[in-house]
Amino acid sequence: MAEKRRSPLDRAISLLPVDAVVRQVDVQRIVDRIDMNELLERVDLDQLLDRVDLDKLLDRIDIERLLAKIDVNALVDRIDVSRIVGRIDVNDVLSEVDIDSVLERVNVEHLIERTELGGILVRSTTGIAERGLDFVRAQGVGLDQLLNRWVDRILRRDSSEAPSGPPLLVNAAEKGLQP
């Protein structure tokens, strides 16, 4: 088989002591001469980011280590709780309540025993319906109280300092007046 013919340039390069020349290069001196700001200005960040495989990058992140560095208290301090609570539509929440399902869980006999209105409730179906609705309303009040406790906890407020009601009603009750 015939040996491949090399060009004169290939023959000249093969005669040069490349390893010896490379050993003579002062890499640090070359790096010191580079203006990093000018070099970074030439980098097209959009093109560079297009080449980044986000899945591979995220696979390399140690989530546990990252979470350990998060200051939860500082994060909570940055949360605008009023804005979050303002986005909650209680009517929408209550519209999601399945009243039939709630009423199925009502133990009517127990309810009659507790209220001592057995005779009236037996004769009046509207009384049962009203109690069922009161139960649903109580659930709404319970949800409201739960949200208030949650907001107080996030805002680190002492719930015992909250007023017992609207100012006009509280003042009227303190004076012994009917609202």
Side-chain angles (χ1 to χ4, degrees), residues 140-157:
V141 170
L143 176 64
D144 190 37
Q145 290 174 343
L146 174 71
L147 288 173
N148 282 336
R149 284 193 308 268
W150 182 73
V151 168
D152 286 346
R153 187 172 296 142
I154 289 176
L155 294 177
R156 297 185 181 138
R157 291 191 296 206

Side-chain angles (χ1 to χ4, degrees), residues 93-123:
V93 172
L94 290 176
S95 71
E96 297 294 322
V97 174
D98 181 5
I99 294 176
D100 292 330
S101 173
V102 172
L103 290 175
E104 286 175 6
R105 295 187 305 193
V106 174
N107 182 343
V108 177
E109 291 175 13
H110 181 69
L111 185 61
I112 291 170
E113 288 173 13
R114 285 186 62 196
T115 59
E116 298 179 7
L117 298 175
I120 296 171
L121 291 176
V122 168
R123 286 174 272 161

Side-chain angles (χ1 to χ4, degrees), residues 46-130:
D46 291 328
Q47 186 179 17
L48 180 65
L49 290 173
D50 286 342
R51 296 180 70 182
V52 173
D53 183 348
L54 287 177
D55 290 329
K56 284 184 180 179
L57 178 64
L58 291 173
D59 286 342
R60 295 180 69 180
I61 295 174
D62 182 356
I63 298 295
E64 296 299 324
R65 188 170 159 214
L66 178 64
L67 290 174
K69 291 184 176 193
I70 294 175
D71 182 356
V72 176
N73 291 327
L75 183 62
V76 168
D77 288 343
R78 294 181 67 180
I79 294 173
D80 185 357
V81 177
S82 298
R83 184 172 175 220
I84 292 172
V85 171
R87 293 179 69 182
I88 297 172
D89 185 350
V90 176
N91 291 326
D92 279 347
V93 172
L94 290 176
S95 71
E96 297 294 322
V97 174
D98 181 5
I99 294 176
D100 292 330
S101 173
V102 172
L103 290 175
E104 286 175 6
R105 295 187 305 193
V106 174
N107 182 343
V108 177
E109 291 175 13
H110 181 69
L111 185 61
I112 291 170
E113 288 173 13
R114 285 186 62 196
T115 59
E116 298 179 7
L117 298 175
I120 296 171
L121 291 176
V122 168
R123 286 174 272 161
S124 172
T125 57
T126 57
I128 294 173
E130 287 174 359

